[in-house]
Amino acid sequence: MLKEKRILLGVTGSIAAYKAVDLTRELTKRGAEVQVVMTEAATRFVAPLSFETLSRQPVLLDMFSLAYGSQIGHIAATAHADLFVIAPATAHTIAKLAHGLANDFITNIYLASRCPILLAPAMDSDMYQHAVVQENLARLRDRGVHIVGPASGELASGLTGPGRLVEPADIVEAIERLLESSRDLVGEVVLVTAGPTREPLDPVRYLSNRSSGKMGYAIAEAAGLRGARVILVSGPTSLPPPRGADLNRVETAQEMHDAVLSELEAATVVIKAAAVADYRPKQVASRKIKKDETVPEVTLESTPDILAEVGKRKGRRILVGFAAETDDLVANARKKLQRKNLDLMVANDLRQPGAGFDSDTNVVKILDARGGVEELPLLSKRVVADRILDRVVQLLKQRNQRAETGNRKLETG
Ligand code: PMT
C-alpha cells in the first residue's frame, strides 16, 4: 500500500518528536518515499540528521532557501505528495493551520497542499482539552483534515490524560486507510452542479433562491481530492473555484441544462446539488421595467427538469440528487428519487437549524434506491460531501462487481 507513495512528514516541537523518527523508519521500510519537514522548535528535540539518515533526503527547514534547486520549496514539496502527515502536531501549529497563518515550512505546505492531510496531535491534556484547541481541531476537521489520536496515558508533565501522540504503528495504519480512501475515485469523472440559478425578468431583475453553492463546491473539492476528474457546473456564487475542477459557470436553468447535457457523455457519476429554479418568467423584458408603469403581472413557465432528463439517459452512471424539504422529508425525497431514476437522494431537513441553504453545515438523510435511509447528524458540508462520496464509492464497487460477474458468465456460457 505504501510502496512508492510520497509522504510529507511534518514534525513540530514536542517531546513526542522522537516518535516521528520511528514513524519515518516504518514508512520507509514499507517502501514510502518520506520527505521530512521540521519546525525550528522540533530541531531542539531531535536533530534533523536522524531523519535525514532514515529518509535519505535533506530535511526541509529553511523557508528562505530554494530547497528544490531553483524551485520554491513549499510549492515543489506539495506538488507530488500523496499525503501530508503532521506528527506530532502541537497546539501552536494546530492553531496556525486553523487560522491560515503561514510563517514556517509546515504551515506554508498546508496552505499549498492538494493532497489529504493527517494530523496527530500531541500536547498536555489540559491544553488538549482547552476549548480553543478543541475549536481549532473541529475547524480543521470541518475543512476535511483527518485527525488521529491523541491517546490517553502518562504525559511528559507527569499528568495522566488525553494528549499523548498515538504510536507510530497507529499513524501508519491511519495513513494506509487514508491513502486507500483518498484514491477511491481515480478513473471516475464526477459531474457536480452547485448554486442557484437566476431567471431574468428584465435586464436587471431575476428570480432566484438562497443557495450559496457551498454544498456542491464541497462535493467537488472532496471528489477531486479522492482522485476523480471533476466537472463543476455552477450557478452564480461568490465561492472560489475548487482546485483542479473544470468549472463551467452558468446563470439560468436552461444554461445549466445545456451545460450538464453537453458534459454528460464523459461523466460516470452525476451529483446535482444545485437549487435549480423550477419556474422562470415566460416573457423577459428587453428593457428595465419602469416603476412608473402599472405593477407588472408576471406569468411563469416551467424550466427543464435537468435531473429527470439525466435520469432518462442514465446508462451505467451513478446519479445522486438533492431535495430540500420543509415537510414530509423522507416521503417527498423518495418520490423524487423514484421519479428521477436516482441511486441516491440526499434530503436536507430544512426545519433543522444549521441545515440547507447558505450555512457551512448540513443535516441530511441519504436515501437509496432499495428503501434504505441513512441519517447523518449536524456536520460540516465538507464532511457531508465525503459521506455522500463514500456511498457513491460503494455503489461503484457493486456496479463493477456485477459487471465482472456478468462477463465471467458470458465467458463460461
Ligand atoms: O448551496 P447551499 O447554500 O450550500 O445549499 C445547499 C442546497 C440546500 C441548495 C442543496 O443541498 C440542495 O438541497 N439542493 C437541491 C435543492 C432543490 O432544489 O431541490 P428540488 O427538490 O427542487 O430538486 C430535486 C433535485 O432535482 C435536485 O438535485 C435539483 O438539482 C434537481 N433539479 C430540480 C429542478 C430542475 N429544474 N432541475 C433539476 O435538475
Side-chain angles (χ1 to χ4, degrees), residues 193-196 209-216 253 272-278 303-308 320-325 336 340 342 345-346 348 350 356-359 362 381:
T193 69
N209 60 64
R210 291 172 41 222
S211 168
S212 61
K214 287 178 186 170
M215 190 66 247
K272 285 222 72 251
V276 186
D278 289 318
T303 56
D305 190 325
I306 308 163
L307 192 51
V320 183
F322 271 76
E325 304 285 344
K336 288 179 190 171
K340 302 193 187 200
L342 308 180
M345 177 55 112
V346 184
N348 307 265
L350 294 185
F357 292 87
D358 202 21
S359 62
N362 211 350
K381 283 185 174 164

Side-chain angles (χ1 to χ4, degrees), residues 284-410:
V284 181
S286 58
R287 294 163 60 191
K288 186 182 167 198
I289 301 167
K290 288 280 184 218
K291 199 178 166 191
D292 53 5
E293 290 167 12
T294 51
V295 177
E297 272 184 24
V298 180
T299 308
L300 300 177
E301 64 178 5
S302 294
T303 56
D305 190 325
I306 308 163
L307 192 51
E309 212 162 315
V310 172
K312 285 183 202 144
R313 308 177 187 197
K314 181 173 173 179
R316 294 182 71 235
R317 294 177 189 87
I318 304 295
L319 292 194
V320 183
F322 271 76
E325 304 285 344
T326 49
D327 304 293
D328 299 326
L329 179 68
V330 173
N332 283 329
R334 183 154 302 288
K335 269 189 224 153
K336 288 179 190 171
L337 178 146
Q338 285 161 348
R339 187 163 57 78
K340 302 193 187 200
N341 193 20
L342 308 180
D343 296 286
L344 297 174
M345 177 55 112
V346 184
N348 307 265
D349 191 346
L350 294 185
R351 282 170 311 171
Q352 301 277 349
F357 292 87
D358 202 21
S359 62
D360 292 325
T361 54
N362 211 350
V363 184
V364 302
K365 292 184 170 59
I366 305 179
L367 282 65
D368 62 41
R370 292 177 169 185
V373 181
E374 182 188 3
E375 283 191 36
L376 300 186
L378 179 75
L379 295 168
S380 72
K381 283 185 174 164
R382 182 61 181 71
V383 174
V384 171
D386 265 322
R387 300 292 288 270
I388 296 167
L389 293 174
D390 289 344
R391 297 292 302 268
V392 167
V393 168
Q394 268 178 16
L395 290 170
L396 286 166
K397 277 189 188 149
Q398 287 164 12
R399 189 197 66 186
N400 293 344
Q401 272 161 9
R402 274 198 305 273
E404 266 174 40
T405 321
N407 285 345
R408 246 180 273 128
K409 274 188 190 151
L410 275 179

Side-chain angles (χ1 to χ4, degrees), residues 76-96:
T78 57
H80 303 292
D82 293 299
L83 187 128
F84 181 27
V85 52
I86 307 179
T90 58
H92 184 59
T93 292
I94 289 169
K96 288 196 288 181

Side-chain angles (χ1 to χ4, degrees), residues 85-111:
V85 52
I86 307 179
T90 58
H92 184 59
T93 292
I94 289 169
K96 288 196 288 181
L97 300 177
H99 296 276
L101 300 179
N103 67 341
D104 57 26
F105 238 128
I106 289 181
T107 46
N108 274 280
I109 285 177
Y110 167 72
L111 291 183

